[in-house]
Amino acid sequence: MHTPASQDVDVCTYGATEARQVVDAAIAAGLHAVAITDHNTAGWCDAMAEAARGTPLVVLPGVELSTAEGHLLAIWEEGTPAQFIEDVLVELGILRADHGDLHKALRTGFAETARSIAARGGLAIAAHAEREKGLLRIPVADHVNQTMLDPAIAAVEIVDIAEAEKIRVRLDGKRDLAVVRSSDTTAPGASVHVLHGVGNRRTWIKASRPDLRGLRHAMADPSLRIRLVEPAVPEHTVIKSVTVTGGFLDGQQFEFSGDLNCLLGGTGAGKSLLIELVRFALDQQTDANDFPQVRKEVESRLKYALTSGSTVEVVLTRGHARCIVRRAYFEDGSTRPEFVGDTEHLAGLSGRIAITGFSQSEVIEYARTPVGRMALIDAALDLTEFRETDVVTRLNDNGRLISGLESKIVQAKQKLHAFPDVEKRLAELSDLFDGETVKMQAKWSSEKALFDTLVGIPELKVVAGTSGGDKFRGSAAVAGNYDLYERAQATYTILNEAIDAANAQLSQVLLAVNKELATIRQEWLDRYQKFDRQLAEAVSRIDADNKGLAALRTRLIELQTEKAKLDAQRTQLNEEFLPNLTTAKAYREELISELLDARKARRRRREDRIKALNKLMGGIVRIKMLPQNDDSAYLTDLTAIAKGSRLRSPVLQQICEKSTPVKLVRSFLAGDVDGVCAATGVEHKHIETLFEHVTEKGTIEDFLLLQTLDLHDGLSVEFRKHSNDGYVPIERLAHGQKCTAILIVALADGNDPLIIDQPEDALHAPWIEEYLVAKLRDLRGSRQYIFATRSPGLVVSADAEMIITLTSDATNGVVEATGSLERHDLNVLALYHLEGGPVPFKRRTVKLALSMS
């Protein structure tokens, strides 16, 4: 910006006569830093620095030089005295008497002057490049291009934002040159310098502080750190801070950037522990079912590094929403996370705040196992709407019902095997007696089976867990809450009295009911005995010759009673068991159809997710859904059910390969042995053996459970190193390639925070740069990354915005420093942790520099 120190500023129209007015205007415009670059003079630099003292504004002193070819900005570090800059002007050839003279120009051009500025600690930027006296106005195009390639030119300043793309095309990848905009203290549409033009054009840079060191760092990597339009407010979830109370990291608070964060430190300093604490607090730890060994190692680490009662507090944001999550650790069972704040915009349908996390070596497990690879696909999907668990629960209940009915039907049919014989013997005996007598005897026999069971109903009681009132007897833990104790105790008393009254009334009713039932049964027995005596007298009269009709009558009664029971059993079989079984089977088919529809919908959603992922991965990794499912669980369960049937493994394997659990069980319920044989090619006797074994061993319920098996969707993950290579299935990849493929999927998957403990493990160094670093640079601004790492590529090449270094003694880990690489202390620590310090880094640089020439 220009001040009244420039000759082309009209003090009358500029709008300010004092430095403080300029400082206030810059702050009011929302600027964090300004560079004072008046024409060939540093006249107002000291005054501006003094006026900004105690304000948030950073003032960088400088000058706009008139070179032999055009205007060049020269900027120095905050606090550099104007005297130093004036001395530089003299050295460059502008005498003190000529300072501020617009018409005095250097003998040197852009590049040579820029090198002189750089040699004196300054930063050179080609001013208003496309306007009058700008670099791009030089008529010799090749000379312009060579000048822009000179490393002493740190950046090119433009007025029209469209020029940025033209410069990029012009350089054709030979240099990633920073392009900046600034107001030159001119109002929109005007060319005169006026105070209200401050901030009219501005540049956003990413740095921990907008001083010259931060500016240099940004211009060294402009694609990540310089923007000509205001960056949008991030809409992705960001972990802002983590605070630990108790244990190894007691009292430590960690502040994170919304972009790339790297944790550095020696072994045992707490890097991995911090990763696990974040996952613990958010209840997003390694799945113990999928990766039991990794989870065991994590639990061991937490147990060692945390004391019982230690707490972790995580602050998260998403846009303008803010939420705090707290969780306490206890070895015998930790509390659930406690949420405070705007959880509606941060927590998903599961009630948890989603992150994607990998513990140390967990990436390897994801790469190695099919279930892990599918978990990556499902990570960004909401699959709760398919309600598979609810359908499976209903199917399990239905399976128990069918199994029970099948057992009852088998038992009933076994009993009914005796029915023809009973009928035959009963017909033979009936011929010896009067027909009406036999019919009447049969009726009394059928009633006997009914009234014999009319016995007393056992004791009934209302039962409720009402001992809670005892807890409120005695004094209150908090004296002020004694009134609540009394109310709770009184409430429980009311409940207990109501239960006692209900039980007393139930007892009286039950006594009367049992007495009445006993009376009814006795009256029936009296009537039956009367009929029996009459029948006995009639038989005595008939059997005057002592032919033994009395004994035959006793047998007749026994057979009639047995037939009455069999008739009841047949009625129950035909009117209850078989219809209920038919209904249960039909309902089961409805449930199976619902389950299959849900799984098909889930598969379609996975396929859509895979299409999106494939686009994001740029052809490096390719994922496909396979037409066949993983039937390993099917074979395992079928083998367990067939144990003892003497069916051999090849037969069971053939059944699994050629049929699905749904179809196999459906055929079993329909008794369709032939259908299974036709579908699988297995011999009739083997299928018959299997079905009979299930029925005889009483494992129908287990067999039906096969239909609920979730045969994992088959997934193909393929990787190719270069665009002209073919894809290789992940199963055939080397260890490091597998991990690289998984990390590429993770980087492309969603916008939730990605937290990885040592992502570089098992990766070949060039792949870190070629795949991970390149991807991280492409995806910046859309997601937060937190890595515990030792990789220079991830920290330096990927340009970590927040570096946290940790150190420790025997008992505690502490934060050593935080910031980014432009800060001197962080640069020194990063050099130590990543390269072993200056000496080994210099040795490697010297010995490997030959390859750079």
Side-chain angles (χ1 to χ4, degrees):
M1 62 181 296
H2 289 303
T3 73
S6 290
Q7 277 189 359
D8 59 347
V9 169
D10 185 345
V11 178
C12 297
T13 59
Y14 180 75
T17 56
E18 297 179 2
R20 182 62 196 223
Q21 293 174 291
V22 182
V23 168
D24 290 343
I27 294 173
L31 298 175
H32 298 109
V34 293
I36 308 305
T37 54
D38 287 308
H39 289 290
N40 292 340
T41 181
W44 266 49
C45 288
D46 286 350
M48 284 291 296
E50 182 60 32
R53 193 184 305 276
T55 75
L57 186 69
V58 172
V59 173
L60 302 178
V63 64
E64 184 170 341
L65 292 165
S66 298
T67 74
E69 295 176 324
H71 288 182
L72 182 71
L73 301 174
I75 302 171
W76 277 268
E77 185 58 277
E78 181 183 23
T80 301
Q83 180 66 50
F84 176 84
I85 300 172
E86 289 169 354
D87 291 345
V88 172
L89 287 173
V90 172
E91 291 176 30
L92 291 174
I94 299 178
L95 301 178
R96 292 188 189 277
D98 295 328
H99 286 186
D101 189 342
L102 279 171
H103 304 293
K104 292 294 180 182
L106 306 178
R107 293 189 178 90
T108 54
F110 279 108
E112 188 176 347
T113 306
R115 288 192 287 272
S116 297
I117 292 168
R120 290 160 177 79
L123 187 74
I125 301 174
H128 43 79
E130 80 274 35
R131 298 290 176 91
E132 184 182 357
K133 296 184 181 179
L135 172 60
L136 298 178
R137 287 295 189 94
I138 296 175
V140 183
D142 187 58
H143 178 65
V144 173
N145 294 344
Q146 290 302 314
T147 301
M148 288 195 293
L149 292 174
D150 194 302
I153 301 291
V156 171
E157 182 198 45
I158 60 172
V159 177
D160 184 357
I161 200 168
E163 289 294 327
E165 177 62 16
K166 295 178 183 177
I167 292 172
R168 188 191 67 80
V169 172
R170 188 166 185 163
L171 290 172
D172 193 27
K174 294 173 184 174
R175 184 185 179 190
D176 186 11
L177 178 62
V179 177
V180 299
R181 298 178 81 216
S182 54
S183 67
D184 208 24
T185 330
T186 56
S191 59
V192 296
H193 303 301
V194 288
L195 188 62
H196 66 266
V198 171
N200 169 36
R201 295 186 296 270
R202 62 184 73 191
T203 304
W204 285 262
I205 70 162
K206 240 179 214 184
S208 28
R209 194 167 185 276
D211 52 17
L212 193 70
R213 184 186 294 272
L215 201 57
R216 285 188 194 278
H217 195 75
M219 290 180 176
D221 203 345
S223 61
L224 290 185
R225 290 191 170 259
I226 293 182
R227 294 289 181 270
L228 300 183
V229 294
E230 184 173 5
V233 176
E235 288 299 321
H236 57 276
T237 300
V238 172
I239 297 171
K240 297 293 289 184
S241 67
V242 175
T243 305
V244 184
T245 304
F248 184 74
L249 293 175
D250 182 31
Q252 299 302 300
Q253 183 171 14
F254 304 88
E255 302 285 344
F256 295 104
S257 155
D259 217 304
L260 176 59
N261 303 266
C262 290
L263 309 177
L264 308 184
T267 302
K271 307 185 302 295
S272 297
L273 176 61
L274 179 56
I275 294 287
E276 296 307 332
L277 289 180
V278 174
R279 299 187 70 183
F280 164 77
L282 300 180
D283 196 20
Q284 301 281 315
Q285 293 171 275
T286 303
D287 193 309
N289 294 321
D290 292 342
F291 309 120
Q293 187 56 39
V294 176
R295 181 60 179 267
K296 183 178 178 181
E297 292 172 3
V298 169
E299 295 292 351
S300 176
R301 182 178 294 144
L302 292 178
K303 180 179 177 182
Y304 171 77
L306 292 177
T307 56
S308 193
S310 296
T311 61
V312 185
E313 179 181 285
V314 181
V315 178
L316 304 105
T317 61
R318 187 182 184 96
H320 299 292
R322 186 175 184 272
C323 173
I324 299 174
V325 182
R326 298 187 188 95
R327 192 179 186 193
Y329 173 83
F330 293 96
E331 188 178 331
D332 58 349
S334 299
T335 62
R336 301 294 300 167
E338 173 193 355
F339 295 85
V340 179
D342 194 353
T343 57
E344 182 181 348
H345 293 90
L346 285 157
L349 295 175
S350 64
R352 299 189 303 179
I353 295 173
I355 62 171
T356 301
F358 297 91
S359 300
Q360 194 170 351
S361 76
E362 192 173 352
V363 172
I364 297 170
E365 293 300 314
Y366 271 89
R368 189 177 59 83
T369 60
V371 66
R373 298 195 283 270
M374 185 58 78
L376 283 178
I377 304 301
D378 291 345
L381 298 179
D382 176 20
L383 302 177
T384 56
E385 66 182 85
F386 300 122
R387 302 178 61 83
E388 288 182 53
T389 304
D390 178 50
V391 180
V392 168
T393 300
R394 285 183 281 154
L395 274 168
N396 291 343
D397 293 340
N398 174 267
R400 281 189 288 274
L401 174 62
I402 290 177
S403 177
L405 287 170
E406 290 281 12
S407 297
K408 290 176 181 178
I409 289 169
V410 168
Q411 293 170 8
K413 287 182 177 179
Q414 287 174 345
K415 290 178 181 178
L416 288 173
H417 284 159
F419 193 86
D421 184 54
V422 170
E423 276 194 320
K424 179 182 177 183
R425 285 183 287 150
L426 189 58
E428 291 171 353
L429 280 176
S430 297
D431 292 341
L432 301 174
F433 299 94
D434 175 64
E436 288 302 318
T437 300
V438 172
K439 288 179 182 179
M440 184 58 67
Q441 174 63 53
K443 292 177 181 179
W444 280 98
S445 295
S446 64
E447 281 192 357
K448 188 173 187 301
L450 181 64
F451 280 90
D452 272 351
T453 60
L454 200 64
V455 294
I457 299 171
E459 183 183 22
L460 298 175
K461 269 191 173 184
V462 176
V463 180
T466 60
S467 60
D470 297 336
K471 300 174 184 176
F472 295 97
R473 299 185 186 280
S475 60
V478 178
N481 292 335
Y482 184 67
D483 62 322
L484 300 179
Y485 278 62
E486 288 184 319
R487 285 167 59 187
Q489 187 178 340
T491 303
Y492 274 108
T493 299
I494 293 171
L495 176 62
N496 287 329
E497 289 174 351
I499 290 173
D500 291 342
N503 281 329
Q505 184 180 3
L506 186 60
S507 179
Q508 291 177 357
V509 172
L510 189 62
L511 183 65
V513 167
N514 280 334
K515 185 176 179 181
E516 177 64 13
L517 290 176
T519 302
I520 293 170
R521 182 171 181 272
Q522 187 58 50
E523 288 183 12
W524 183 88
L525 284 173
D526 292 342
R527 295 175 188 180
Y528 173 69
Q529 288 169 359
K530 180 179 178 183
F531 166 76
D532 194 49
R533 287 194 297 271
Q534 293 171 352
L535 184 60
E537 291 172 2
V539 170
S540 297
R541 287 194 297 273
I542 296 171
D543 193 19
D545 299 330
N546 257 336
K547 295 180 180 179
L549 288 180
L552 292 175
R553 172 183 154 275
T554 302
R555 181 58 180 153
L556 175 66
I557 293 172
E558 291 175 351
L559 287 171
Q560 286 175 329
T561 302
E562 186 173 356
K563 181 178 181 297
K565 290 180 179 178
L566 290 174
D567 283 336
Q569 182 74 81
R570 183 165 59 182
T571 299
Q572 189 175 30
L573 175 65
N574 293 327
E575 297 181 7
E576 180 183 340
F577 295 162
L578 290 175
N580 286 352
L581 181 61
T582 300
T583 301
K585 287 180 178 180
Y587 179 56
R588 186 173 188 84
E589 281 302 309
E590 292 177 12
L591 291 176
I592 290 294
S593 178
E594 186 178 345
L595 181 63
L596 293 179
D597 287 344
R599 288 178 175 169
K600 287 175 184 176
R602 181 187 66 184
R603 182 182 176 91
R604 286 193 297 271
R605 184 160 296 182
R606 282 174 170 166
E607 289 172 340
D608 291 341
R609 178 63 186 155
I610 286 169
K611 289 178 183 176
L613 277 175
N614 284 335
K615 290 181 181 178
L616 292 170
M617 291 185 294
I620 302 171
V621 175
R622 183 174 67 184
I623 305 175
K624 293 187 292 186
M625 293 284 280
L626 299 176
Q628 69 274 19
N629 292 337
D630 176 10
D631 60 4
S632 56
Y634 180 19
L635 180 59
T636 299
D637 287 5
L638 184 60
T639 301
I641 290 170
K643 187 176 181 180
S645 66
R646 297 186 179 180
L647 289 173
R648 296 188 176 183
S649 294
V651 172
L652 298 176
Q653 192 164 354
Q654 187 173 346
I655 292 173
C656 289
E657 289 175 355
K658 301 294 184 180
S659 74
T660 65
V662 168
K663 292 180 178 179
L664 179 65
V665 174
R666 183 181 287 150
S667 296
F668 167 77
L669 292 175
D672 183 16
V673 175
D674 293 336
V676 180
C677 296
T680 63
V682 175
E683 291 184 46
H684 190 281
K685 62 179 181 180
H686 294 322
I687 303 301
E688 199 169 50
T689 297
L690 175 62
F691 286 2
E692 288 175 356
H693 177 77
V694 169
T695 302
E696 291 169 2
K697 292 294 182 180
T699 57
I700 293 175
E701 185 177 344
D702 292 337
F703 195 57
L704 266 58
L705 280 175
L706 289 177
Q707 287 188 310
T708 66
L709 272 178
D710 187 3
L711 301 184
H712 297 294
D713 288 329
L715 192 70
S716 165
V717 179
E718 300 171 318
F719 175 76
R720 64 176 178 182
K721 288 192 282 186
H722 305 292
S723 59
N724 55 348
D725 292 342
Y727 284 99
V728 180
I730 196 168
E731 290 81 7
R732 286 167 41 199
L733 293 174
H735 190 64
Q737 291 174 318
K738 287 182 180 178
C739 294
T740 302
I742 293 301
L743 286 172
I744 289 170
V745 176
L747 287 171
D749 184 25
N751 60 1
D752 300 321
L754 177 60
I755 305 174
I756 311 180
D757 188 0
Q758 296 185 195
E760 71 274 13
D761 278 2
L763 299 190
H764 188 36
W767 294 344
I768 295 174
E769 289 288 336
E770 186 175 352
Y771 300 124
L772 298 192
V773 171
K775 203 68 180 172
L776 282 170
R777 292 178 67 88
D778 288 343
L779 296 173
R780 295 297 278 278
S782 61
R783 191 177 195 183
Q784 183 184 41
Y785 307 91
I786 301 176
F787 298 153
T789 182
R790 298 190 189 96
S791 168
L794 293 175
V795 179
V796 181
S797 296
D799 194 29
E801 291 181 309
M802 177 61 78
I803 299 169
I804 301 174
T805 66
L806 295 98
T807 186
S808 65
D809 55 24
T811 56
N812 289 99
V814 296
V815 175
E816 190 176 29
T818 62
S820 55
L821 285 175
E822 75 265 24
R823 304 265 58 87
H824 179 69
D825 54 345
L826 260 299
N827 207 293
V828 170
L829 288 168
L831 181 66
Y832 171 74
H833 288 300
L834 298 174
E835 305 287 356
V839 174
F841 183 61
K842 286 178 182 176
R843 287 176 183 154
R844 287 193 288 271
T845 303
V846 169
K847 293 183 178 181
L848 296 175
L850 294 172
S851 301
M852 298 294 292
S853 59

